[in-house]
Amino acid sequence: MLKISTVLALAALLNSLGGAAGATEIEAGVSAVLRRVQPAVVSIRTASSGIFRADMLDDPNVRRILGLPDDVVVVQTGVTTTGSGVIIDHENGYIITSRHLVADADDVSVKLADGRVFQADRIGEDAPTDLAVVKVEAPSLSSVKWGRSSELKVGDFVIAVGSPLGLTQTATFGIISGLGRSGLGADEYQDYIQTDAAINPGNSGGALVNASGELIGIARGIPAPDEASTGIGFAIPSDIAMQIARELIAHGEYRRGWLGLSVTGAADIRPGSAAETQKFVVNELVCNSPAERQGVRLGDIIVALDGRTFPTDAAFRNAISLLSPNTRITLDVRRGEKLQQVNVMLSDAAARRDLDSGQESVVVEFPSANGSPACAPAGAVVVDVASGSDAYSMGLRTGDYLTAINGQPPTSVEQIRSVLESTQESASVDILRAGTAYRLELE
């Protein structure tokens, strides 16, 4: 008996072939796609060395029995990993794959569909998307054409090609069963295509193509939210993968801009607004960040980015994370009942990481003249917060500055205590902690 998803996939392909095609035409269509795609999909094998980690070896008694001094580590050599890759430039030999396959490898080899094997050079890697590009010097290569993942619809027919479980040139098919998936905890950037085409260990870095043989996703070997579930897999959209690959080839890295805020999704329930319209409340604001310096305020509701709206807060964060340093953006912001535009130029995320890592022995910053009141430590100081108290469970910590209650500066100790101890009504409390302003919603 055919699965429902298989029937839907066949119907989708039948429709793409004209609607009146028989079984022979369907088979011919799939075979033609695979003849174009499979020569561009490769198997990747890596070898690496590293420090062997085991909880048992952290036990001093075990180390003494084994005769291992405290300052001696066990090095594991010859560790091999296998996966997949896709040739995206046949003239120059560039191959896109998964970063976790090659990031720590001492040796990377690529096996082509025709059986030839070549050593590969690592060109660039991007940890937030788990993408990497490697390069081989080889004649007579084939490549795939990029497709537009932004044009995908749930129900579209797709084929996954890769080397799962060490089995080279394996093809599986199915449909797009979801778009914009996030919350899987695998990567910093999450906007996955979900498919019921089988994606198993070893498929990572392989191709997800549409009925025309265009590359619309790079397989990402991550488990489903429920590890017991089977039948679904995930892929990184081609629009993102193409953008990342081009930067890795050109610069060896993907440089991201830094905005300096975090948001949480909230339904717009104002009178006259569309039901359940998704907006994004600024609930964290890094002091002296581009966002704070250029006018964003804690509690602002972001309606749009450069005129674009987003279905989820994850989609909004993803859009920001793909912007380059020095990019100018316009945020449509609602503050109270007033809608306004805030223009912000992003800075370099790498420079921010260097600052956070402590490369400078002493860092001194003063709030800008037009900075946010939430970043000026002029409010009441929470001197002590007991670990078992309601205030602690709300998120308050010893040493926090309370800069606002329900958007207004706190006026007295009694007011603060009444808000924190009240169980009758909700309230918002703005705090400043270690250079970042937060909004806590107390319910």
Side-chain angles (χ1 to χ4, degrees):
M1 180 179 293
L2 287 175
K3 294 190 305 180
I4 292 177
S5 59
T6 304
V7 174
L8 291 173
L10 287 171
L13 181 58
L14 181 65
N15 181 66
S16 71
L17 293 174
T24 302
E25 291 176 281
I26 293 176
E27 293 170 359
V30 173
S31 297
V33 170
L34 290 177
R35 281 196 300 271
R36 293 196 302 271
V37 171
Q38 284 185 312
V41 180
V42 303
S43 299
I44 293 180
R45 182 181 181 88
T46 67
S48 59
S49 301
I51 298 175
F52 179 75
R53 303 288 186 187
D55 292 340
M56 187 177 294
L57 291 182
D58 292 333
D59 188 328
N61 294 321
V62 173
R63 295 183 70 88
R64 186 168 54 252
I65 292 172
L66 296 176
L68 293 174
D70 292 340
D71 57 349
V72 171
V73 296
V74 178
V75 177
Q76 210 173 13
T77 60
V79 179
T80 60
T81 305
T82 58
S84 309
V86 186
I87 301 173
I88 55 175
D89 183 340
H90 64 277
E91 293 182 354
N92 297 295
Y94 289 120
I95 299 168
I96 190 169
T97 185
S98 294
R99 177 185 178 273
H100 70 266
L101 294 176
V102 302
D104 300 316
D106 301 319
D107 178 80
V108 179
S109 62
V110 170
K111 184 178 181 180
L112 304 181
D114 59 14
R116 291 181 293 163
V117 178
F118 297 91
Q119 293 301 115
D121 295 322
R122 301 205 318 247
I123 299 301
E125 302 162 6
D126 182 60
T129 56
D130 191 49
L131 289 172
V133 172
V134 299
K135 176 182 171 69
V136 294
E137 297 289 346
S140 305
L141 295 177
S142 298
S143 60
V144 293
K145 179 182 178 182
W146 287 104
R148 294 296 301 273
S149 58
S150 58
E151 298 176 357
L152 292 175
K153 301 180 297 296
V154 172
D156 284 353
F157 175 82
V158 290
I159 304 174
V161 185
S163 302
L165 309 173
L167 303 172
T168 60
Q169 294 298 308
T170 295
T172 58
F173 74 90
I175 61 169
I176 298 295
S177 51
L179 295 169
R181 296 302 195 205
S182 61
L184 303 180
D187 304 311
E188 180 180 329
Y189 180 97
Q190 298 188 51
D191 186 18
Y192 302 115
I193 300 167
Q194 179 184 314
T195 177
D196 67 349
I199 294 179
N200 292 294
N203 264 115
S204 288
L208 187 70
V209 301
N210 60 18
S212 300
E214 297 170 328
L215 184 65
I216 50 90
I218 301 297
R220 179 68 173 96
I222 53 178
D226 179 359
E227 293 185 3
S229 64
T230 58
I232 59 174
F234 302 93
I236 300 167
S238 60
D239 289 357
I240 305 307
M242 178 170 57
Q243 185 174 340
I244 298 295
R246 285 174 175 170
E247 287 295 306
L248 295 182
I249 291 170
H251 306 293
E253 63 177 348
Y254 192 89
R255 292 182 58 211
R256 286 176 166 78
W258 179 55
L259 183 57
L261 59 76
S262 292
V263 299
T264 183
D268 189 350
I269 55 175
R270 290 178 305 148
S273 65
E276 294 300 312
T277 301
Q278 192 70 11
K279 310 299 180 186
F280 310 107
V281 180
V282 178
N283 63 339
E284 294 183 24
L285 186 63
V286 179
C287 297
N288 291 297
S289 65
E292 191 264 335
R293 284 182 178 274
Q294 297 173 66
V296 178
R297 297 292 179 262
L298 201 63
D300 281 350
I301 297 177
I302 297 178
V303 178
L305 164 65
D306 289 335
R308 297 167 55 199
T309 59
F310 299 89
T312 64
D313 50 350
F316 174 80
R317 287 193 295 269
N318 290 340
I320 294 293
S321 73
L322 292 172
L323 296 174
S324 302
N326 301 319
T327 298
R328 292 185 179 275
I329 63 172
T330 299
L331 298 173
D332 291 338
V333 168
R334 196 176 77 239
R335 186 176 300 161
E337 293 301 317
K338 183 180 179 181
L339 187 65
Q340 61 189 74
Q341 290 188 330
V342 180
N343 298 308
V344 183
M345 176 184 285
L346 276 62
S347 65
D348 195 331
R352 173 64 185 181
R353 288 195 299 270
D354 292 342
L355 188 63
D356 290 340
S357 67
Q359 291 186 5
E360 298 182 41
S361 58
V362 178
V363 177
V364 178
E365 291 183 332
F366 288 90
S368 58
N370 62 342
S372 167
C375 287
V381 182
V382 180
V383 178
D384 188 26
V385 181
S387 59
S389 65
D390 290 340
Y392 189 93
S393 66
M394 293 171 182
L396 288 173
R397 296 295 181 266
T398 299
D400 287 347
Y401 281 92
L402 271 66
T403 58
I405 294 178
N406 292 328
Q408 299 297 321
T411 57
S412 66
V413 173
E414 289 74 17
Q415 178 211 20
I416 295 171
R417 283 178 176 167
S418 67
V419 170
L420 298 181
E421 295 173 0
S422 173
T423 59
Q424 303 301 317
E425 57 185 38
S426 61
S428 67
V429 174
D430 297 348
I431 65 170
L432 178 64
R433 179 189 301 158
T436 299
Y438 301 87
R439 170 157 291 190
L440 307 178
E441 296 292 342
L442 312 183
E443 298 180 353

